[in-house]
Coordinates of all heavy atoms in Angstrom, one line a residue:
M27 N -20.8 28.2 9.8 CA -21.6 28.6 8.5 C -22.5 27.5 7.9 O -22.1 26.4 8.2 CB -20.6 29.0 7.5 CG -19.9 30.3 7.6 SD -18.8 30.7 6.3 CE -19.8 31.8 5.4
T28 N -23.4 27.9 7.2 CA -24.3 26.8 6.7 C -23.6 26.4 5.4 O -22.6 27.0 4.9 CB -25.7 27.3 6.3 OG1 -25.5 28.5 5.4 CG2 -26.4 27.9 7.6
K29 N -24.0 25.3 4.8 CA -23.3 24.7 3.7 C -23.8 25.2 2.4 O -23.2 25.0 1.4 CB -23.5 23.1 3.7 CG -24.9 22.6 3.5 CD -24.9 21.1 3.6 CE -26.4 20.7 3.4 NZ -26.5 19.3 3.3
G30 N -24.9 26.0 2.5 CA -25.4 26.6 1.2 C -24.4 27.4 0.4 O -24.3 27.1 -0.8
P31 N -23.8 28.3 0.9 CA -22.8 29.1 0.0 C -21.7 28.3 -0.5 O -21.2 28.5 -1.5 CB -22.3 30.2 1.1 CG -23.2 30.3 2.2 CD -23.9 28.9 2.3
F32 N -21.2 27.3 0.3 CA -20.1 26.5 -0.1 C -20.5 25.6 -1.2 O -19.8 25.4 -2.2 CB -19.6 25.6 1.0 CG -18.9 26.3 2.2 CD1 -19.5 26.5 3.4 CD2 -17.7 26.9 1.9 CE1 -18.8 27.3 4.3 CE2 -16.9 27.6 2.9 CZ -17.5 27.7 4.0
V33 N -21.7 25.0 -1.1 CA -22.2 24.1 -2.2 C -22.5 24.8 -3.5 O -22.1 24.4 -4.5 CB -23.5 23.3 -1.7 CG1 -24.1 22.5 -2.8 CG2 -23.0 22.4 -0.5
A34 N -23.1 26.0 -3.3 CA -23.4 26.9 -4.6 C -22.2 27.3 -5.2 O -22.1 27.2 -6.4 CB -24.3 28.0 -4.0
M35 N -21.2 27.7 -4.5 CA -20.0 28.2 -5.1 C -19.2 27.1 -5.8 O -18.7 27.3 -6.8 CB -19.1 28.9 -4.0 CG -17.8 29.4 -4.5 SD -18.1 30.7 -5.6 CE -16.4 31.3 -5.8
S36 N -19.1 25.9 -5.1 CA -18.5 24.7 -5.6 C -19.2 24.4 -7.0 O -18.4 24.0 -8.0 CB -18.3 23.7 -4.6 OG -17.6 22.6 -5.2
A37 N -20.5 24.2 -6.9 CA -21.3 23.8 -8.1 C -21.1 24.8 -9.2 O -21.0 24.4 -10.4 CB -22.7 23.6 -7.7
A38 N -21.1 26.0 -8.9 CA -21.0 27.1 -10.0 C -19.5 26.9 -10.6 O -19.5 27.1 -12.0 CB -21.2 28.5 -9.4
T39 N -18.6 26.8 -9.9 CA -17.2 26.8 -10.4 C -16.9 25.4 -11.1 O -16.3 25.5 -12.2 CB -16.1 27.0 -9.3 OG1 -16.3 26.0 -8.2 CG2 -16.1 28.5 -8.8
A40 N -17.4 24.4 -10.7 CA -17.4 23.1 -11.4 C -18.2 23.2 -12.7 O -17.7 22.7 -13.7 CB -17.8 21.9 -10.6
A41 N -19.3 23.8 -12.7 CA -20.1 24.0 -13.9 C -19.3 24.8 -14.9 O -19.3 24.5 -16.2 CB -21.4 24.6 -13.7
L42 N -18.6 25.8 -14.5 CA -17.8 26.8 -15.3 C -16.7 26.0 -15.9 O -16.4 26.1 -17.0 CB -17.4 27.9 -14.6 CG -16.5 28.9 -15.4 CD1 -17.3 29.5 -16.5 CD2 -16.1 30.1 -14.5
G43 N -16.1 25.1 -15.1 CA -15.0 24.3 -15.6 C -15.4 23.3 -16.7 O -14.7 23.0 -17.7
T44 N -16.6 22.7 -16.5 CA -17.2 21.8 -17.6 C -17.5 22.7 -18.9 O -17.1 22.1 -19.8 CB -18.5 21.2 -17.0 OG1 -18.2 20.5 -15.8 CG2 -19.1 20.2 -17.9
V45 N -18.0 23.7 -18.8 CA -18.3 24.6 -19.9 C -17.0 24.9 -20.6 O -16.9 24.9 -21.9 CB -19.2 25.9 -19.6 CG1 -19.2 26.7 -20.7 CG2 -20.5 25.4 -19.1
L46 N -16.1 25.3 -19.9 CA -14.8 25.7 -20.5 C -14.1 24.5 -21.1 O -13.4 24.6 -22.2 CB -13.9 26.4 -19.4 CG -14.3 27.8 -19.0 CD1 -13.4 28.2 -17.8 CD2 -14.1 28.8 -20.2
G47 N -14.3 23.3 -20.5 CA -13.7 22.1 -21.1 C -14.3 21.8 -22.4 O -13.7 21.3 -23.4
S48 N -15.6 22.0 -22.5 CA -16.4 21.7 -23.7 C -16.0 22.7 -24.7 O -15.8 22.4 -25.9 CB -17.8 21.8 -23.5 OG -18.2 20.8 -22.7
L49 N -15.8 24.0 -24.3 CA -15.2 25.1 -25.2 C -14.0 24.7 -25.8 O -13.7 24.9 -27.0 CB -15.3 26.4 -24.6 CG -14.7 27.5 -25.3 CD1 -15.6 27.8 -26.6 CD2 -14.7 28.8 -24.5
A50 N -13.0 24.2 -24.9 CA -11.7 23.9 -25.4 C -11.8 22.7 -26.5 O -11.0 22.8 -27.5 CB -10.9 23.4 -24.3
L51 N -12.6 21.7 -26.3 CA -12.8 20.7 -27.3 C -13.3 21.2 -28.6 O -12.9 20.8 -29.7 CB -13.7 19.6 -26.7 CG -13.1 18.8 -25.6 CD1 -14.2 17.8 -25.0 CD2 -11.9 18.0 -26.0
Q52 N -14.3 22.1 -28.5 CA -14.8 22.7 -29.6 C -13.8 23.6 -30.3 O -13.8 23.6 -31.7 CB -16.2 23.6 -29.3 CG -16.9 24.1 -30.4 CD -17.5 23.0 -31.3 OE1 -18.0 22.0 -30.7 NE2 -17.4 23.1 -32.6
L53 N -13.1 24.4 -29.7 CA -12.1 25.1 -30.4 C -11.0 24.3 -31.0 O -10.6 24.6 -32.2 CB -11.3 26.0 -29.3 CG -12.1 27.2 -28.7 CD1 -11.4 27.8 -27.5 CD2 -12.3 28.2 -29.7
R54 N -10.7 23.2 -30.4 CA -9.7 22.2 -31.2 C -10.3 21.6 -32.4 O -9.7 21.5 -33.4 CB -9.4 21.1 -30.2 CG -8.4 20.1 -30.9 CD -7.8 19.2 -29.8 NE -6.9 20.1 -29.1 CZ -6.1 19.7 -28.0 NH1 -6.3 18.5 -27.6 NH2 -5.4 20.5 -27.4
A55 N -11.6 21.3 -32.3 CA -12.3 20.8 -33.5 C -12.4 21.8 -34.6 O -12.4 21.4 -35.8 CB -13.7 20.3 -33.1
D56 N -12.6 23.0 -34.3 CA -12.7 24.2 -35.2 C -11.4 24.7 -35.7 O -11.3 25.5 -36.6 CB -13.5 25.3 -34.7 CG -15.0 24.9 -34.5 OD1 -15.4 23.9 -35.1 OD2 -15.8 25.7 -33.8
G57 N -10.3 24.2 -35.2 CA -9.0 24.7 -35.6 C -8.4 25.8 -35.0 O -7.4 26.4 -35.5
Y58 N -8.9 26.3 -33.9 CA -8.4 27.4 -33.2 C -7.4 26.8 -32.0 O -7.5 27.0 -30.9 CB -9.5 28.2 -32.4 CG -10.3 28.9 -33.5 CD1 -11.6 28.4 -33.8 CD2 -9.9 30.1 -34.1 CE1 -12.4 29.1 -34.7 CE2 -10.7 30.7 -34.9 CZ -11.9 30.2 -35.2 OH -12.7 30.9 -36.2
E59 N -6.3 26.1 -32.5 CA -5.3 25.5 -31.6 C -4.7 26.6 -30.7 O -4.3 26.2 -29.5 CB -4.4 24.8 -32.4 CG -4.8 23.6 -33.1 CD -5.2 22.5 -32.2 OE1 -4.6 22.3 -31.0 OE2 -6.2 21.7 -32.4
Q60 N -4.5 27.8 -31.0 CA -3.7 28.8 -30.2 C -4.5 29.1 -29.0 O -4.0 29.6 -28.0 CB -3.4 30.0 -31.0 CG -4.6 30.9 -31.4 CD -5.2 30.6 -32.8 OE1 -5.0 29.4 -33.3 NE2 -5.8 31.5 -33.4
Y61 N -5.8 28.9 -28.9 CA -6.5 29.2 -27.7 C -6.9 28.0 -26.8 O -7.3 28.2 -25.6 CB -7.9 29.8 -28.2 CG -7.7 31.0 -29.0 CD1 -8.1 31.0 -30.3 CD2 -7.3 32.2 -28.4 CE1 -8.1 32.1 -31.1 CE2 -7.0 33.3 -29.2 CZ -7.4 33.3 -30.6 OH -7.3 34.5 -31.3
V62 N -6.7 26.8 -27.3 CA -7.0 25.6 -26.6 C -6.3 25.5 -25.3 O -6.8 25.2 -24.2 CB -6.8 24.3 -27.4 CG1 -7.0 23.1 -26.6 CG2 -7.7 24.4 -28.7
E63 N -5.0 25.7 -25.3 CA -4.2 25.5 -24.0 C -4.7 26.5 -22.9 O -4.8 26.1 -21.7 CB -2.7 25.8 -24.3 CG -1.9 25.5 -23.0 CD -0.4 25.7 -23.3 OE1 0.1 25.9 -24.5 OE2 0.4 25.6 -22.4
S64 N -4.9 27.8 -23.3 CA -5.3 28.6 -22.2 C -6.7 28.4 -21.7 O -6.9 28.5 -20.5 CB -5.2 30.1 -22.7 OG -6.0 30.3 -23.8
V65 N -7.6 28.0 -22.5 CA -9.0 27.7 -22.1 C -9.0 26.4 -21.2 O -9.7 26.2 -20.2 CB -9.9 27.6 -23.3 CG1 -11.3 27.0 -22.8 CG2 -10.1 28.9 -24.0
S66 N -8.2 25.5 -21.6 CA -8.0 24.2 -20.9 C -7.4 24.4 -19.5 O -7.9 23.9 -18.5 CB -7.1 23.2 -21.6 OG -7.7 22.8 -22.9
T67 N -6.4 25.3 -19.4 CA -5.9 25.6 -18.2 C -6.9 26.3 -17.2 O -6.9 26.1 -16.1 CB -4.6 26.6 -18.3 OG1 -3.7 25.9 -19.3 CG2 -3.9 27.0 -17.1
F68 N -7.6 27.3 -17.8 CA -8.6 27.9 -17.0 C -9.6 26.9 -16.6 O -10.2 27.1 -15.4 CB -9.3 29.1 -17.7 CG -10.0 30.0 -16.9 CD1 -9.3 30.8 -15.8 CD2 -11.4 30.2 -17.0 CE1 -10.0 31.7 -15.1 CE2 -12.1 31.0 -16.2 CZ -11.3 31.8 -15.2
S69 N -10.0 25.9 -17.4 CA -11.0 24.9 -17.0 C -10.5 24.1 -15.8 O -11.2 23.9 -14.8 CB -11.3 23.9 -18.1 OG -12.0 22.9 -17.7
V70 N -9.2 23.7 -15.8 CA -8.7 23.0 -14.7 C -8.6 23.7 -13.4 O -8.9 23.3 -12.4 CB -7.3 22.4 -15.1 CG1 -6.5 21.8 -13.9 CG2 -7.3 21.3 -16.2
L71 N -8.3 25.1 -13.6 CA -8.3 26.0 -12.5 C -9.6 26.0 -11.9 O -9.7 26.1 -10.6 CB -7.8 27.4 -12.9 CG -7.7 28.4 -11.9 CD1 -6.6 28.0 -10.9 CD2 -7.4 29.8 -12.6
M72 N -10.7 26.1 -12.6 CA -12.1 26.1 -12.0 C -12.4 24.8 -11.2 O -12.9 24.9 -10.2 CB -13.1 26.2 -13.1 CG -13.0 27.6 -13.8 SD -13.5 28.9 -12.5 CE -11.8 29.6 -12.2
Y73 N -11.9 23.7 -11.7 CA -12.0 22.4 -11.0 C -11.3 22.4 -9.6 O -11.8 22.0 -8.6 CB -11.7 21.2 -11.8 CG -12.6 20.8 -12.9 CD1 -12.4 20.7 -14.2 CD2 -14.0 20.4 -12.5 CE1 -13.3 20.4 -15.1 CE2 -15.0 20.1 -13.4 CZ -14.6 20.1 -14.7 OH -15.5 19.7 -15.7
V74 N -10.1 23.0 -9.8 CA -9.3 23.1 -8.5 C -9.9 24.0 -7.5 O -10.0 23.7 -6.3 CB -7.8 23.4 -8.8 CG1 -7.0 23.8 -7.6 CG2 -7.1 22.4 -9.5
T75 N -10.4 25.1 -8.0 CA -11.2 26.1 -7.1 C -12.3 25.4 -6.5 O -12.6 25.5 -5.3 CB -11.5 27.2 -7.8 OG1 -10.4 27.8 -8.4 CG2 -12.2 28.3 -7.0
A76 N -13.1 24.6 -7.3 CA -14.2 23.9 -6.7 C -13.9 23.0 -5.6 O -14.6 22.9 -4.5 CB -15.0 23.2 -7.8
A77 N -12.7 22.1 -5.8 CA -12.3 21.3 -4.8 C -11.9 22.1 -3.5 O -12.1 21.6 -2.4 CB -11.1 20.5 -5.4
L78 N -11.2 23.2 -3.7 CA -10.7 23.8 -2.6 C -11.9 24.5 -1.7 O -11.7 24.6 -0.6 CB -9.7 25.1 -2.9 CG -8.4 24.5 -3.5 CD1 -7.6 25.7 -4.0 CD2 -7.6 23.8 -2.3
V79 N -12.9 24.9 -2.4 CA -14.1 25.4 -1.8 C -14.7 24.2 -0.9 O -15.1 24.4 0.3 CB -15.2 25.9 -2.7 CG1 -16.5 26.2 -2.0 CG2 -14.7 27.3 -3.4
L80 N -14.8 23.0 -1.5 CA -15.3 21.9 -0.7 C -14.4 21.5 0.5 O -14.8 21.2 1.7 CB -15.4 20.7 -1.6 CG -16.5 20.7 -2.6 CD1 -16.5 19.5 -3.5 CD2 -17.8 20.9 -1.9
V81 N -13.1 21.7 0.4 CA -12.2 21.4 1.5 C -12.4 22.5 2.5 O -12.4 22.2 3.8 CB -10.7 21.5 1.0 CG1 -9.8 21.6 2.2 CG2 -10.4 20.3 0.2
T82 N -12.6 23.7 2.2 CA -13.0 24.8 3.2 C -14.2 24.5 4.0 O -14.3 24.7 5.0 CB -13.1 26.2 2.4 OG1 -11.9 26.4 1.7 CG2 -13.4 27.2 3.3
W83 N -15.2 24.0 3.2 CA -16.5 23.6 3.7 C -16.3 22.6 4.8 O -16.8 22.6 5.9 CB -17.4 23.2 2.8 CG -18.8 22.7 3.3 CD1 -19.5 23.2 4.3 CD2 -19.4 21.4 2.8 NE1 -20.6 22.4 4.5 CE2 -20.6 21.3 3.7 CE3 -19.2 20.5 2.0 CZ2 -21.5 20.2 3.5 CZ3 -20.1 19.5 1.7 CH2 -21.1 19.3 2.5
V84 N -15.5 21.5 4.5 CA -15.3 20.4 5.4 C -14.5 20.9 6.6 O -14.8 20.6 7.8 CB -14.5 19.3 4.7 CG1 -13.9 18.2 5.7 CG2 -15.3 18.6 3.6
R85 N -13.5 21.7 6.4 CA -12.7 22.2 7.6 C -13.5 23.2 8.5 O -13.3 23.4 9.6 CB -11.4 23.0 7.0 CG -10.4 22.0 6.5 CD -9.2 22.7 6.0 NE -8.6 23.6 7.1 CZ -7.6 23.2 7.8 NH1 -7.1 22.0 7.7 NH2 -7.1 24.0 8.7
D86 N -14.5 23.9 7.8 CA -15.3 24.8 8.5 C -16.3 24.0 9.4 O -16.6 24.5 10.6 CB -16.2 25.8 7.6 CG -17.0 26.6 8.3 OD1 -16.5 27.6 9.1 OD2 -18.2 26.7 8.1
G87 N -16.7 22.9 9.1 CA -17.6 22.0 9.8 C -17.0 21.3 11.0 O -17.7 20.8 11.9
R88 N -15.7 21.3 11.0 CA -14.9 20.7 12.2 C -15.1 21.5 13.5 O -15.0 22.7 13.4 CB -13.5 20.3 11.9 CG -13.4 19.4 10.8 CD -11.9 19.0 10.5 NE -11.0 20.0 10.7 CZ -9.7 19.9 10.5 NH1 -9.3 18.9 10.0 NH2 -8.9 20.9 10.7
P89 N -15.2 20.9 14.5 CA -15.3 21.6 15.9 C -13.9 22.2 16.2 O -12.8 21.7 15.9 CB -15.6 20.5 16.9 CG -15.3 19.2 16.3 CD -15.4 19.4 14.7
T90 N -13.9 23.4 16.7 CA -12.6 24.0 17.1 C -12.2 23.7 18.6 O -13.2 23.4 19.3 CB -12.7 25.5 16.9 OG1 -13.8 26.0 17.6 CG2 -12.9 25.9 15.5
S91 N -11.0 23.8 18.9 CA -10.6 23.4 20.3 C -10.2 24.7 21.1 O -9.0 24.8 21.4 CB -9.5 22.4 20.3 OG -8.4 22.9 19.5
N92 N -11.1 25.6 21.2 CA -10.6 26.8 21.9 C -11.1 26.7 23.4 O -11.9 26.8 24.0 CB -11.2 28.1 21.3 CG -10.6 28.5 20.1 OD1 -9.4 28.1 19.8 ND2 -11.2 29.2 19.3

Protein backbone atom coordinates (compact mmCIF):
# COMPACT_ATOMS: atom_id res chain seq x y z
CA MET A 1 0.00 0.00 0.00
CA THR A 2 1.05 3.56 -0.46
CA LYS A 3 1.78 5.68 2.56
CA GLY A 4 -0.90 8.26 1.78
CA PRO A 5 -3.83 6.70 3.63
CA PHE A 6 -1.67 5.87 6.65
CA VAL A 7 -0.22 9.36 6.95
CA ALA A 8 -3.58 11.04 6.44
CA MET A 9 -5.30 8.84 9.02
CA SER A 10 -2.53 9.29 11.55
CA ALA A 11 -2.43 13.06 11.07
CA ALA A 12 -6.20 13.35 11.38
CA THR A 13 -6.37 11.32 14.58
CA ALA A 14 -3.41 13.19 16.11
CA ALA A 15 -5.08 16.50 15.24
CA LEU A 16 -8.30 15.30 16.85
CA GLY A 17 -6.33 14.32 19.94
CA THR A 18 -4.82 17.80 20.09
CA VAL A 19 -8.20 19.49 19.73
CA LEU A 20 -9.69 17.30 22.44
CA GLY A 21 -6.76 18.02 24.74
CA SER A 22 -7.31 21.73 24.26
CA LEU A 23 -11.02 21.26 24.92
CA ALA A 24 -10.24 19.44 28.16
CA LEU A 25 -8.06 22.34 29.30
CA GLN A 26 -10.78 24.81 28.42
CA LEU A 27 -13.41 22.76 30.24
CA ARG A 28 -11.24 22.71 33.34
CA ALA A 29 -10.72 26.47 33.15
CA ASP A 30 -14.48 27.04 32.79
CA GLY A 31 -15.35 24.81 35.74
CA TYR A 32 -16.79 21.78 33.96
CA GLU A 33 -14.73 19.29 35.95
CA GLN A 34 -17.19 16.42 35.43
CA TYR A 35 -16.35 16.29 31.71
CA VAL A 36 -12.59 16.76 31.84
CA GLU A 37 -11.68 13.13 32.57
CA SER A 38 -13.72 11.64 29.75
CA VAL A 39 -12.53 14.20 27.19
CA SER A 40 -8.92 13.70 28.30
CA THR A 41 -9.27 9.93 28.03
CA PHE A 42 -10.63 10.23 24.51
CA SER A 43 -7.77 12.59 23.62
CA VAL A 44 -5.19 10.03 24.75
CA LEU A 45 -7.09 7.34 22.86
CA MET A 46 -6.72 9.38 19.66
CA TYR A 47 -2.94 9.69 20.17
CA VAL A 48 -2.68 5.93 20.75
CA THR A 49 -4.72 5.29 17.62
CA ALA A 50 -2.44 7.58 15.60
CA ALA A 51 0.61 5.70 16.89
CA LEU A 52 -0.94 2.34 16.01
CA VAL A 53 -1.70 3.55 12.49
CA LEU A 54 1.97 4.49 12.09
CA VAL A 55 3.04 1.08 13.40
CA THR A 56 0.73 -0.54 10.84
CA TRP A 57 2.29 1.58 8.11
CA VAL A 58 5.80 0.51 9.13
CA ARG A 59 4.81 -3.14 9.32
CA ASP A 60 3.07 -2.91 5.94
CA GLY A 61 6.25 -1.63 4.32
CA ARG A 62 8.37 -4.57 5.45
CA PRO A 63 9.00 -7.31 2.93
CA THR A 64 7.19 -10.57 3.48
CA SER A 65 8.88 -13.97 3.42
CA ASN A 66 6.47 -16.12 1.43
